Amino acid sequence: MHSLRSSKGLVQVCLTSKPKHFPECEDDASAVKATVPAASSIELNFTKLKPGRYAIALLHDENGNGKVDTTLMIPNEGFGFSRDARVVMGPPSFDAAAFDLAAGSNRQRIGMRYLF
């Protein structure tokens, strides 16, 4: 991922193959979740994933409070999605962010977006 506006806080990661659990990964036992320190550029490696269709959601939790801070329901912190899926009146659908993972290596470059 690239374009974090600061190295403050944490980056929360959600990778799921289940559309109904995207983008939060809540109650998805098979989701891959991670929290890593923020940096100007971060590379994450997911190992032992089975081939399939996945989507990734990221949150730059700058104050480290473990949640998305909002003003009038608009995120104050950065976010990003696989395939750099567009955000229009809420997070993208699973299909908009989903990519097919075949056996071997697959890279997703995710840019962070900040609305404030």
Side-chain angles (χ1 to χ4, degrees), residues 5 62 68-71 74-78 114-116:
R5 71 175 167 198
E62 289 183 277
V68 179
D69 294 315
T70 62
T71 299
I74 299 171
N76 294 336
E77 299 171 304
Y114 296 86
L115 302 178
F116 289 104

Side-chain angles (χ1 to χ4, degrees), residues 13 15 30-34 43-51 54 56 99 101-107:
V13 182
L15 179 143
S30 64
V32 178
K33 300 179 209 174
E43 184 171 315
L44 301 166
N45 293 301
F46 300 101
T47 58
K48 300 180 183 176
L49 292 176
K50 295 178 184 176
Y54 294 89
I56 300 170
F99 60 94
L101 177 68
S105 179
N106 184 306
R107 292 187 79 101

